Amino acid sequence: MHPESQFSDKVPCVFRGIVRLHGSSWKYGDCLECYCRNGTAYCDILTCQKPECADPVSISGECCELCPYKLKLKEVFSSFPSGQTIVEGKTNKFKFHPSIKIRLSQTSRQIRGENMWRVDAWVSRSEDGSGPQFSYRENILNDLQRANEFSQLKYTYYQANDRYWTFKSVKYNFDASEGTCKDFRYFCIKFNVTDEPKPMFDLPLTFSVVKGEDERQTVCKRLGACEGVFAKTFDWDLEGEDPIPGQDTPVTIDIDVTFKRHNRNLEGDGLWRVALFGSSNPGGDGPRFGEVSQILDAEESSEDIREGTSLYVDSIETDFELGTVGCVEDVEYICMEFLKGDAPNPDFTLNTAEARGNATRDSLITCKPQECQSRVVFTKLQATLLSPDVMVEDTNDTDTKVKLKATSNKQLTTTVAGEKLWQVVTFFSKNEVGGGTRTNEQPQILSRTQEDQTLPEGKNPSLIQFSPIHFRSGNVFPVATGEHREASVTGSPNVCRTFGDIGNARRSFGDASPITADDLLNRVFAKTFDWDLEGEDPIPGQDTPVTIDIDVTFKRHNRNLEGDGLWRVALFGSSNPGGDGPRFGEVSQILDAEESSEDIREGTSLYVDSIETDFELGTVGCVEDVEYICMEFLKGDASNPDFTLNTAEARGNATRDSLITCKPQECQSRVVFTKLQATLLSPDVMVEDTNDTDTKVKLKATSNKQLTTTVAGEKLWQVVTFFSKNEVGGGTRTNEQPQILSRTQEDQTLPKGKNLVFRRMDFQVDLDGIICEEVPFMCFELKKYAESSIDFTFETHPLQDSLVDCISMEDVCKG
């Protein structure tokens, strides 16, 4: 059991007029050792035993003759919490309390000095710490911890059962850029004596381990989840002109990969791989058709990423059998897979938000349905009889040759290539258009070569010609007609997308020292103040649970300080990078009682992680004049003991007794719309050249649910209506109305993962000067309101400034 867990209070003692802190020890005279226990001072009269060594030394101020120092180690323990999460490529800050178990019978009663102790730290793949040592740090103890006094008096009292000697608040910065997640399995420490210890009185020091088992000096703790580069979403666009089934087509591709907000920075060579293939499955499962395993060139695969940014690579060029996808059975989807490069430098770990299809946790697959792009539109069929000159009634097997020409619309017809494309049926009929009963029908008169004949694109005239067609006709009747048929395969309309606690660390008082008058005169001098803040799915105007880490550095020769309510940290939004001016949504104290009472030692910093509070995070960056998140570090309002806090410099509206650090914040509200659909509810009839026709319309804007966040505020949306000559709303706009939404609809919240629907827009249509035939479409345009209360991101796929949908007025608008 650790010492502070035995007492609920930390009441100081008064000994002969001097205040002593709970847990401190001191000497009174040469042979009296005292310590303070929760308001009561206890003293032991030292009795000198016969020295165990042959040549004891008498030292002024010491009660007994002294022998050389010796310490026998039994075991090393670490309060480091198992399961600590690691972020690859970043510096991970650890704070823990290593404890040493001692064999008292073979250890000196007291050991004091400077630069005495050493704790090495590293991260290992192995449970025993063997093998490669990642981020190895030699002696992570600070000067005060290296001089940590061992005393059997405190050791026995504090740890009567477990008998631990503890080093309090040891810090280790793990540089996780030296390996990858597969290497970061165990955190290890090793206890030893420094190479050049300076024992008090220059007494020799002998350090040994029970049974000579050096492995007792080392302890390793299992680390938790390791996050590398964390990819959330993967989207792409592909274009290719004139694809031909069975042939490679040059295609151009844009890719967009989003990452977790606090992702690591990464730059190097061969970082990424993107595979392109066809599939029968919307998740990319099963066989891969025509796979191109890497579409990125050396430069594209080496695009770097920065924290908070996405990976966008455009105009990627490759060849792919595009014309076949959607045109043959079991290849209905175009799929792309985003992965780590085969030999990235540096190596790293790629994690993904979820496993989809046959993607593992280290890749994302996104598939999109593809319709067959091969198309033929025929406008005319012409048959010419080449032979024979004469056919005789009621005879069989007359050898016949016919030329057949099918003329196509060359603007609408693509190249058509493949096998068994065409079928020509011949039959006899009573009329010249082939209607009615068919006599002596033959289902296919083309040869195998003619069945497979390619129809090229862009011929002038665009036609397919079979010349000659050889076949035998049956019993002859007056009129013969040829029929041409085409076979086509269409794709499926389905759309698909593809696609790791810190326990309460035990605290120990370690080496407690008496307070002197000089200590009380020392001021606490803070130099720098840094922080990190995270919050998921922030919504403007609403509090978001956030988690905060703070790190304060102090002047090197700062005073020691421990007590209650020592610190205060304020959180607020500001228009100024220095935190000047009005404070938005201020939380005046984010620290709880324990966090605000964290003590500091000379030469150490104040690091508090996983601070939890609520803050209107979604508003910062989304409204005018609140562009920065700021935090201010101050002395607690009622610190005990009282002290003076000085800072390195005054920033913004911070005085000399506080530090303010501000960071810019971009608005995290974003909407990506993919489609707009307008439905006319009423009236059934509109009359030309009339005014103020009451009209009701339903409008639905479909959003990309993976890319769209909650959007909330005032004056968010603008819907413009107008009449147009064409169905996409291009060209001149007639009788345009700039806003038909009600005030409630302007402010309508778009929840995350939902579509934006205005179920009934009530407005009046001005048909003054409208002639139905000239402007047969009523159009609606959805835009971000220019006067929106929040500066959210409004995007459309494909990219444009707004969305437009038009309703045909052919059956509604009347003259």
Side-chain angles (χ1 to χ4, degrees):
M1 179 181 294
H2 280 261
E4 71 269 28
S5 62
Q6 299 183 22
F7 308 106
S8 58
D9 300 314
K10 299 177 182 180
V11 181
C13 306
V14 178
F15 181 81
R16 298 185 179 261
I18 299 176
V19 177
R20 305 285 185 176
L21 291 181
H22 166 73
S24 63
S25 62
W26 65 94
K27 289 188 67 175
Y28 186 75
D30 288 346
C31 296
L32 197 65
E33 285 193 350
C34 305
Y35 57 90
C36 175
R37 177 184 176 185
N38 200 23
T40 303
Y42 297 86
C43 294
D44 292 334
I45 298 174
L46 300 179
T47 58
C48 297
Q49 308 269 336
K50 180 180 178 179
E52 298 179 358
C53 54
D55 300 310
V57 180
S58 295
I59 297 174
S60 176
E62 295 297 310
C63 182
C64 304
E65 292 181 313
L66 299 179
C67 289
Y69 288 141
K70 58 182 179 180
L71 186 143
K72 176 78 77 171
L73 180 142
K74 291 179 68 177
E75 199 170 356
V76 178
F77 297 89
S78 172
S79 66
F80 185 83
S82 296
Q84 175 79 40
T85 299
I86 302 299
V87 180
E88 182 186 274
K90 287 191 173 184
T91 297
N92 299 263
K93 297 180 179 182
F94 299 159
K95 182 179 178 181
F96 64 105
H97 314 288
S99 299
I100 315 301
K101 196 170 185 179
I102 304 298
R103 177 162 285 180
L104 297 180
S105 62
Q106 299 178 39
T107 298
S108 299
R109 182 177 179 84
Q110 189 176 46
I111 303 175
R112 292 179 289 177
E114 296 180 357
N115 194 39
M116 300 289 286
W117 317 115
R118 167 176 168 174
V119 173
D120 299 341
W122 67 96
V123 170
S124 176
R125 300 173 186 165
S126 307
E127 188 175 6
D128 60 0
S130 61
Q133 296 175 323
F134 297 93
S135 195
Y136 178 83
R137 300 290 182 266
E138 182 178 301
N139 206 354
I140 59 176
L141 300 179
N142 60 35
D143 291 344
L144 190 64
Q145 292 163 339
R146 297 181 190 195
N148 192 11
E149 175 187 342
F150 174 78
S151 170
Q152 288 200 18
L153 173 66
K154 292 193 298 179
Y155 181 88
T156 306
Y157 158 64
Y158 280 142
Q159 295 92 16
N161 296 320
D162 293 331
R163 299 188 178 185
Y164 292 111
W165 173 39
T166 301
F167 292 74
K168 183 181 178 184
S169 301
V170 176
K171 295 182 179 180
Y172 168 62
N173 291 338
F174 169 44
D175 180 4
S177 64
E178 297 180 8
T180 61
C181 286
K182 66 178 184 295
D183 302 315
F184 308 149
R185 301 185 64 195
Y186 294 92
F187 170 62
C188 304
I189 61 171
K190 181 178 181 179
F191 179 81
N192 211 332
V193 175
T194 64
D195 295 336
E196 296 181 355
K198 297 177 182 179
M200 186 173 285
F201 312 123
D202 292 327
L203 293 172
L205 170 63
T206 301
F207 172 75
S208 59
V209 181
V210 170
K211 297 181 180 181
E213 298 171 350
D214 292 345
E215 61 270 17
R216 291 176 178 266
Q217 295 174 251
T218 301
V219 62
C220 296
K221 282 291 192 78
R222 188 73 163 91
L223 292 170
C226 177
E227 291 185 359
V229 174
F230 199 102
K232 292 172 61 180
T233 65
F234 173 43
D235 195 16
W236 54 263
D237 289 304
L238 180 148
E239 292 184 355
E241 291 188 359
D242 305 327
I244 300 174
Q247 299 181 26
D248 278 345
T249 300
V251 294
T252 302
I253 301 167
D254 301 340
I255 65 168
D256 190 2
V257 185
T258 65
F259 299 92
K260 194 172 180 180
R261 184 182 174 197
H262 294 292
N263 216 49
R264 61 172 289 188
N265 296 333
L266 183 64
E267 58 182 40
D269 298 320
L271 303 175
W272 318 110
R273 180 163 71 88
V274 176
L276 167 64
F277 58 95
S279 178
S280 64
N281 190 284
D285 293 333
R288 297 187 172 191
F289 170 79
E291 182 172 16
V292 183
S293 61
Q294 171 64 299
I295 66 172
L296 305 178
D297 62 23
E299 182 178 354
E300 293 162 343
S301 67
S302 303
E303 286 283 339
D304 60 0
I305 57 172
R306 296 290 172 183
E307 181 175 340
T309 65
S310 63
L311 175 66
Y312 180 76
V313 186
D314 62 355
S315 303
I316 302 165
E317 296 181 350
T318 191
D319 292 332
F320 178 61
E321 203 170 316
L322 177 63
T324 305
V325 182
C327 293
V328 300
E329 190 176 3
D330 294 332
V331 187
E332 302 166 358
Y333 296 88
I334 298 176
C335 300
M336 292 196 205
E337 182 177 20
F338 177 74
L339 313 93
K340 182 178 77 170
D342 292 335
N345 181 24
D347 195 11
F348 64 98
T349 301
L350 178 65
N351 303 122
T352 64
E354 57 183 286
R356 292 184 178 176
N358 59 359
T360 63
R361 294 292 297 183
D362 58 358
S363 75
L364 286 175
I365 290 182
T366 302
C367 298
K368 299 181 181 181
Q370 176 76 359
E371 292 187 357
C372 185
Q373 297 188 47
S374 292
R375 180 189 188 194
V376 59
V377 178
F378 286 120
T379 58
K380 181 180 180 183
L381 186 65
Q382 181 179 359
T384 303
L385 179 65
L386 303 178
S387 67
D389 294 331
V390 175
M391 291 185 180
V392 180
E393 289 182 351
D394 206 22
T395 59
N396 292 322
D397 300 332
T398 302
D399 289 330
T400 307
K401 297 178 183 178
V402 172
K403 176 182 177 181
L404 193 67
K405 182 173 78 170
T407 304
S408 67
N409 181 314
K410 78 173 189 177
Q411 282 75 33
L412 300 178
T413 297
T414 67
T415 296
V416 179
E419 297 179 351
K420 295 187 176 181
L421 302 174
W422 317 109
Q423 180 182 7
V424 175
V425 180
T426 184
F427 57 91
F428 289 90
S429 176
K430 291 182 178 182
N431 63 68
E432 61 183 355
V433 295
T437 302
R438 297 185 176 194
T439 303
N440 288 13
E441 182 175 14
Q442 297 184 56
Q444 173 66 299
I445 62 173
L446 295 179
S447 68
R448 182 57 192 271
T449 301
Q450 291 169 330
E451 288 178 350
D452 301 344
Q453 183 171 322
T454 296
L455 171 61
E457 180 185 23
K459 297 297 181 181
N460 192 12
S462 181
L463 57 85
I464 183 165
Q465 183 170 297
F466 304 102
S467 177
I469 302 173
H470 298 270
F471 63 100
R472 291 178 182 271
S473 62
N475 293 327
V476 179
F477 286 83
V479 179
T481 299
E483 177 185 52
H484 173 271
R485 295 181 180 176
E486 65 163 297
S488 65
V489 180
T490 58
S492 167
N494 295 326
V495 178
C496 65
R497 295 185 186 280
T498 307
F499 292 84
D501 72 333
I502 300 177
N504 293 324
R506 294 178 296 176
R507 301 177 61 196
S508 169
F509 292 107
D511 177 29
S513 302
I515 296 176
T516 66
D518 288 339
D519 289 327
L520 294 174
L521 290 174
N522 286 337
R523 296 170 182 251
V524 174
F525 196 98
K527 292 171 61 180
T528 64
F529 173 40
D530 195 14
W531 51 265
D532 287 303
L533 180 148
E534 291 187 353
E536 292 189 358
D537 303 327
I539 300 174
Q542 298 183 25
D543 278 345
T544 300
V546 294
T547 302
I548 302 168
D549 301 340
I550 65 167
D551 193 358
V552 186
T553 64
F554 299 88
K555 193 173 180 180
R556 183 179 177 188
H557 297 293
N558 216 50
R559 63 170 285 186
N560 299 332
L561 183 64
E562 60 181 44
D564 298 319
L566 303 175
W567 318 110
R568 180 163 72 86
V569 175
L571 167 63
F572 59 95
S574 177
S575 63
N576 191 285
D580 292 327
R583 296 188 172 190
F584 170 81
E586 183 173 15
V587 183
S588 61
Q589 171 63 299
I590 67 171
L591 305 177
D592 62 23
E594 182 178 355
E595 293 163 343
S596 66
S597 303
E598 283 283 334
D599 58 0
I600 57 171
R601 295 287 177 178
E602 181 180 351
T604 66
S605 62
L606 175 66
Y607 178 74
V608 186
D609 61 0
S610 303
I611 302 165
E612 296 181 351
T613 191
D614 292 333
F615 178 62
E616 203 170 317
L617 177 62
T619 305
V620 182
C622 293
V623 300
E624 190 175 0
D625 294 333
V626 188
E627 301 165 358
Y628 296 87
I629 298 176
C630 301
M631 293 195 204
E632 182 177 21
F633 176 75
L634 314 93
K635 183 182 77 172
D637 292 335
S639 61
N640 181 23
D642 196 13
F643 62 97
T644 300
L645 177 66
N646 294 133
T647 63
E649 57 183 275
R651 294 181 179 177
N653 62 358
T655 65
R656 295 292 298 183
D657 60 357
S658 75
L659 283 175
I660 291 182
T661 302
C662 298
K663 299 182 181 181
Q665 175 78 355
E666 292 185 357
C667 185
Q668 296 186 50
S669 292
R670 179 191 187 195
V671 59
V672 179
F673 288 123
T674 59
K675 182 181 178 182
L676 187 68
Q677 182 179 359
T679 304
L680 180 64
L681 304 178
S682 69
D684 295 329
V685 175
M686 291 184 180
V687 180
E688 287 180 353
D689 208 24
T690 59
N691 294 321
D692 302 332
T693 301
D694 291 329
T695 307
K696 296 178 174 61
V697 171
K698 176 182 177 181
L699 194 67
K700 176 182 176 182
T702 303
S703 68
N704 183 312
K705 296 175 176 54
Q706 282 72 36
L707 300 179
T708 298
T709 69
T710 296
V711 179
E714 297 178 352
K715 293 189 176 181
L716 303 174
W717 318 109
Q718 179 181 4
V719 174
V720 181
T721 185
F722 56 93
F723 289 89
S724 176
K725 293 182 179 180
N726 62 68
E727 61 184 354
V728 295
T732 302
R733 297 185 173 191
T734 304
N735 289 14
E736 184 177 21
Q737 296 185 58
Q739 174 65 301
I740 61 172
L741 294 179
S742 67
R743 183 56 194 270
T744 300
Q745 291 170 329
E746 291 178 350
D747 302 345
Q748 185 171 318
T749 295
L750 172 61
K752 181 179 180 181
K754 301 293 185 181
N755 298 321
L756 180 65
V757 180
F758 300 110
R759 300 196 178 281
R760 196 180 77 177
M761 300 184 298
D762 294 292
F763 59 101
Q764 291 184 326
V765 172
D766 182 7
L767 295 171
D768 185 28
I770 294 292
I771 298 176
C772 296
E773 292 181 356
E774 294 181 355
V775 281
F777 297 95
M778 182 166 62
C779 301
F780 299 86
E781 179 184 32
L782 174 64
K783 302 195 295 185
K784 173 184 173 182
Y785 207 121
E787 299 176 10
S788 173
S789 65
I790 66 168
D791 188 22
F792 67 99
T793 300
F794 183 105
E795 295 179 20
T796 65
H797 282 182
L799 292 175
Q800 54 195 41
D801 293 331
S802 62
L803 284 177
V804 176
D805 188 47
C806 297
I807 300 173
S808 173
M809 303 299 289
E810 180 178 357
D811 297 326
V812 178
C813 188
K814 305 297 182 182

